[in-house]
Amino acid sequence: PLPLVLDPAGPGSLSGFRDATALLAVIGPEGGWSETERALFEKRSWPRVALPGYVLRMETAALALAARLVHAPAPGKGPAA
């Protein structure tokens, strides 16, 4: 599976993940990731992405991520219908 780390401070975006056939989403604690954890993700080249404008509880973040991926436009396409 393609790893994806949800992090409110993440510099990346969800573009490029829509067509993934298997995704491993790592969703952190409400208090956020520690610098040690962020360094580990960086060492493993796991992209950190944010859901812009939101800091969500773990349960809500998983659903929000799924909804964003389902309704995200395909790369190179316009908004999803």
Side-chain angles (χ1 to χ4, degrees):
L2 184 62
L4 164 69
V5 179
L6 282 185
D7 184 350
S13 72
L14 290 175
S15 64
F17 289 96
R18 178 170 167 44
D19 293 330
T21 56
L23 188 66
L24 170 66
V26 181
I27 301 171
E30 290 180 49
W33 299 107
S34 70
E35 290 306 314
T36 302
E37 291 166 326
R38 285 189 176 114
L40 178 62
F41 300 140
E42 183 74 26
K43 180 179 177 183
R44 294 185 180 196
S45 299
W46 288 15
R48 293 178 17 242
V49 301
L51 295 175
Y54 301 99
V55 175
L56 303 170
R57 293 177 56 103
M58 180 184 67
E59 304 86 2
T60 309
L63 294 171
L65 174 62
R68 286 276 180 109
L69 290 171
V70 166
H71 294 288
K77 304 287 182 183

